[in-house]
């Protein structure tokens, strides 16, 4: 019976002797950089009227999402490493899984929406403001969160409908779906199929939107007559392409292939990339590779 379990123990990275202090400092530093970097990005966009465009509206929402996404995982993991408090309650584990799945899924849809935005800007520049009007942008953000909410409700509901009668040690540093499912004493075949189908559909579906959008973008850029026009068009997409490669590469490896459930050990290190590293890197990627953001940042610093 699942009521026998009132808490779980997160044992990810526990087998590495002498690593507690290093991981604690590393995770806390990365979290601070994530929050500060994304807050700065939000402030830069809000304070400069020139950045009040659909592209930066999505980027502002992405920064907000990255703060929430990282906050679900990193503070709890840092506490576990620094104070060796690895216990997490049954309800706390369910809550962490729910919000992690919510923000993770929403980010995948955000990246697809941002790819469509870049496709419209490059391939239909004259109609860009008409197509990407404020109402559509708000609807796309709301649809992304709604999709994330549907997925996380199904994933969390299916996972915690299982029986957990021991062992209660989760081989991860947070309550990931696959890791929690691995410690259940129920038959998890249906859950694995649901997870593979849902995650695979979301990852493949959003990735298709990205690839199709960038396929048209590349064709359009290649047909531009001047080198300056090609460089300018490519520079508006390069930051987004870097983020996409990092996010979808690691997430596909974790969730969209058979065997993800059966290999919990390798998931610890890989999970750090999409839960902690990517939210930390996004503000820097979009700042250092974007002339408009760099120009706005310099202007705000002068003030």
């Amino acid at each position: 019976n699942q009521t026998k379990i009132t808490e779980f123990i997160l044992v990810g990275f526990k087998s590495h002797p002498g690593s507690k202090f290093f991981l604690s400092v590393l995770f806390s530093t990365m979290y601070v950089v994530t929050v500060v970097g994304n807050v700065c990005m939000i402030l830069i966009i809000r304070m400069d009227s020139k950045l009040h465009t659909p592209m930066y509206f999505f980027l502002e929402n992405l920064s907000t999402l990255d703060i929430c996404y990282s906050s679900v995982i990193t503070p709890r993991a840092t506490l576990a490493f620094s104070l060796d408090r690895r216990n997490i309650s049954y309800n706390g584990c369910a809550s962490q899984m729910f919000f992690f799945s919510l923000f993770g899924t929403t980010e995948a849809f955000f990246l697809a929406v941002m790819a469509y935005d870049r496709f419209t800007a490059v391939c239909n520049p004259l109609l860009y403001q008409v197509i990407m009007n404020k109402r559509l942008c708000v609807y796309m953000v709301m649809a992304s969160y709604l999709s994330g909410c549907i997925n996380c409700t199904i994933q969390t509901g299916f996972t915690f409908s299982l029986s957990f009668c021991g062992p209660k040690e989760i081989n991860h540093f947070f309550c990931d779906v696959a890791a929690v499912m691995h410690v259940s004493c129920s038959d998890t075949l249906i859950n694995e199929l649901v997870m593979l189908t849902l995650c695979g559909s979301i990852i493949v579906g959003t990735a298709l939107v990205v690839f199709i959008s960038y396929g048209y973008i590349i064709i359009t850029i290649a047909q531009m007559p001047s080198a300056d026009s090609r460089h300018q068009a490519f520079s508006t997409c390069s930051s987004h392409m870097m983020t996409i490669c990092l996010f979808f590469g690691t997430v596909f490896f974790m969730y969209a292939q058979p065997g993800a459930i059966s290999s919990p050990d390798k998931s610890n290190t890989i999970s750090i990339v999409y839960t902690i590293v990517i939210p930390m890197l996004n503000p820097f990627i979009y700042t250092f590779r974007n002339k408009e953001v760099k120009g706005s940042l310099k202007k705000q610093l002068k003030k």
Side-chain angles (χ1 to χ4, degrees), residues 69 107 111 238-254 270-282 285-286:
Y69 189 33
E107 178 138 350
L111 293 175
S238 57
S239 301
H240 187 233
M241 290 173 67
M242 290 178 64
T243 304
I244 285 170
C245 291
L246 284 170
F247 183 83
F248 281 103
T250 52
V251 170
F252 181 84
F253 186 82
M254 285 293 301
I270 300 169
S271 296
I272 293 177
V273 177
Y274 65 88
T275 58
I276 302 174
V277 175
I278 293 176
M280 179 187 69
L281 290 180
N282 278 346
I285 292 174
Y286 283 101

Side-chain angles (χ1 to χ4, degrees), residues 184-218:
S184 171
C185 53
S186 302
D187 183 6
T188 61
L189 177 61
I190 300 298
N191 293 68
E192 291 182 32
L193 292 174
V194 169
M195 189 188 87
L196 187 61
T197 302
L198 270 178
C199 293
S201 300
I202 291 169
I203 295 169
V204 172
T206 52
L208 275 176
V209 174
V210 170
F211 293 147
I212 292 172
S213 297
Y214 275 101
Y216 280 106
I217 288 171
I218 291 170

Side-chain angles (χ1 to χ4, degrees), residues 85-229:
R85 292 183 180 176
R86 297 179 177 270
N87 292 35
I88 183 170
S89 68
Y90 182 89
N91 291 332
C93 188
S95 299
Q96 187 183 55
M97 181 185 295
F98 179 90
F99 287 107
F100 160 73
S101 299
L102 169 63
F103 297 131
T105 305
T106 304
E107 178 138 350
F109 280 96
F110 262 24
L111 293 175
V113 166
M114 292 172 74
Y116 176 75
D117 171 71
R118 290 300 82 208
F119 157 75
T120 307
V122 174
C123 301
N124 298 289
L126 298 179
L127 297 175
Y128 177 65
Q129 294 297 336
V130 177
I131 297 173
M132 299 302 296
N133 57 73
K134 188 173 182 179
R135 178 180 293 182
L136 178 62
C137 292
V138 172
Y139 284 164
M140 291 174 104
V141 170
M142 292 173 62
S144 297
Y145 274 105
L146 178 61
S147 301
C149 190
I150 292 172
N151 179 58
C152 70
T153 301
I154 295 173
Q155 293 281 16
T156 307
F158 265 80
T159 302
F160 282 88
S161 66
L162 297 170
S163 296
F164 298 96
C165 46
K168 58 183 179 179
E169 291 188 345
I170 299 174
N171 189 10
H172 218 309
F173 62 92
F174 68 94
C175 288
D176 189 20
V177 178
V180 174
M181 206 184 300
H182 193 72
V183 302
S184 171
C185 53
S186 302
D187 183 6
T188 61
L189 177 61
I190 300 298
N191 293 68
E192 291 182 32
L193 292 174
V194 169
M195 189 188 87
L196 187 61
T197 302
L198 270 178
C199 293
S201 300
I202 291 169
I203 295 169
V204 172
T206 52
L208 275 176
V209 174
V210 170
F211 293 147
I212 292 172
S213 297
Y214 275 101
Y216 280 106
I217 288 171
I218 291 170
I219 293 171
T220 303
I221 291 176
Q223 293 175 346
M224 290 179 177
S226 67
D228 288 339
S229 298

Side-chain angles (χ1 to χ4, degrees), residues 279-298:
M280 179 187 69
L281 290 180
N282 278 346
F284 297 99
I285 292 174
Y286 283 101
T287 300
F288 292 125
R289 298 190 63 85
N290 190 303
K291 291 182 180 179
E292 291 178 327
V293 175
K294 285 192 289 186
S296 179
L297 178 59
K298 289 177 182 178

